[in-house]
Amino acid sequence: MRVDVVTIFPAFFDVLEVSLLGKARGAGLLDVRVHDLRDYATDRHRSVDDTPYGGGAGMVMKPEPWGAALDAIIADAATAPTFIFPSPAGELFSQRTARELSDAEHLVFGCGRYEGIDERVFAYAATLGDVRLMSLGDYVLNGGEVASMAMIEAIGRLIPGVVGNPESLVEESHENGLLEYPSYTKPASWRGQDVPDVLLSGHHRRVAEWRREQQMTRTRTRRPDLLPPSS
Ligand code: JB8
């Protein structure tokens, strides 16, 4: 998978070199290219923002540097990419979205700052590929960088071969619509707390039943919104 990122803070993405996704990049499974939006500004001060038409607080990202950056990215692209713009006004990003996007050939993340990007940039991007405005949740960040990083990690780890043991992807939270069951390791007793007996019993069926029960109870308590209205 090829991933391009457009940002005025390219250094944010240095951490993609480390850990799991760094390995995926080394193995050639993931090709991440980070672009500084200011390299596509045309004035002496490399401006990327200006005052909003209609008035109001803050600054808006100018369309011209964005147009030039997107053009440069698709110039050597093999297929029409999917553009993802993090936005508090976007659709919710979920494990389903991550799964959907994990078989894409090419994703382009556009990281806004200030009060956001001139709306015409989204319409222009839609002439080059699919466009999705995506929100991580109902809260507001200072810009799209942290949200892009979260989405790149959520999507990237679903690419076959990136996570060493694919079975660990099956049992985690949100893969079956429920929260994951609690996990324990040695020692069996720690500071007065014992590991539940059933997990030491060796009865595989009873362990599976207990875990399913825990998933249901936890989901009902912490995330009832994940369950069908009937239950
Ligand atoms: C300016 O919370 B967010 C987010 C916030 C932003 C911009 C983009 C995304 C641009 N503030 O997902």
Side-chain angles (χ1 to χ4, degrees):
M1 177 188 290
R2 174 174 163 189
V3 173
D4 289 274
V5 181
V6 181
T7 172
I8 59 169
F9 296 117
F12 257 88
F13 295 87
D14 289 354
V15 295
L16 286 177
E17 301 289 340
V18 294
S19 86
L20 194 66
L21 292 189
K23 253 193 306 189
R25 296 179 73 176
L29 296 169
L30 194 57
D31 172 16
V32 183
R33 311 178 193 183
V34 181
H35 311 268
D36 188 342
L37 181 67
R38 288 195 196 279
D39 292 345
Y40 299 93
T42 49
D43 66 313
R44 216 164 56 79
H45 297 105
R46 307 217 296 163
S47 316
V48 294
D49 63 324
D50 206 336
T51 53
Y53 276 122
M59 299 291 270
V60 175
M61 286 188 124
K62 297 160 58 63
E64 302 97 317
W66 278 103
L70 301 189
D71 287 346
I73 286 167
I74 61 151
D76 66 338
T79 56
T82 295
F83 295 91
I84 300 168
F85 293 96
S87 166
E91 48 170 327
L92 267 188
F93 181 84
S94 66
Q95 191 64 18
R96 173 189 296 272
T97 323
R99 237 180 280 129
E100 217 175 280
L101 294 171
S102 67
D103 66 30
E105 199 68 52
H106 186 190
L107 301 177
V108 179
F109 288 85
C111 304
R113 279 273 153 176
Y114 315 110
E115 302 311 306
I117 304 171
D118 186 304
E119 190 71 17
R120 293 168 291 183
V121 171
F122 308 126
Y124 178 65
T127 68
L128 308 176
D130 292 332
V131 173
R132 306 191 57 178
L133 272 66
M134 305 257 28
S135 166
L136 291 188
D138 294 338
Y139 47 84
V140 179
L141 304 169
N142 279 336
E145 284 77 10
V146 167
S148 289
M149 197 100 63
M151 289 188 267
I152 291 168
E153 182 160 315
I155 295 163
R157 64 194 290 281
L158 298 180
I159 298 170
V162 172
V163 166
N165 179 4
E167 288 198 17
S168 62
L169 295 176
V170 179
E171 302 233 318
E172 64 193 5
S173 288
H174 302 299
E175 271 307 327
N176 65 357
L178 298 173
L179 302 185
E180 68 190 344
Y181 53 77
S183 301
Y184 299 87
T185 186
K186 290 168 279 297
S189 185
W190 179 72
R191 300 193 181 191
Q193 296 189 79
D194 297 337
V195 172
D197 282 333
V198 62
L199 298 179
L200 310 174
S201 70
H203 287 91
H204 297 298
R205 193 175 43 80
R206 276 196 246 165
V207 169
E209 281 167 4
W210 181 84
R211 285 177 168 168
R212 177 51 54 127
E213 219 172 79
Q214 290 290 311
Q215 288 194 287
M216 289 300 300
T217 309
R218 279 185 156 192
T219 307
R220 210 179 316 112
T221 307
R222 299 178 187 172
R223 294 294 306 278
D225 57 297
L226 296 178
L227 296 170
S230 50
S231 60

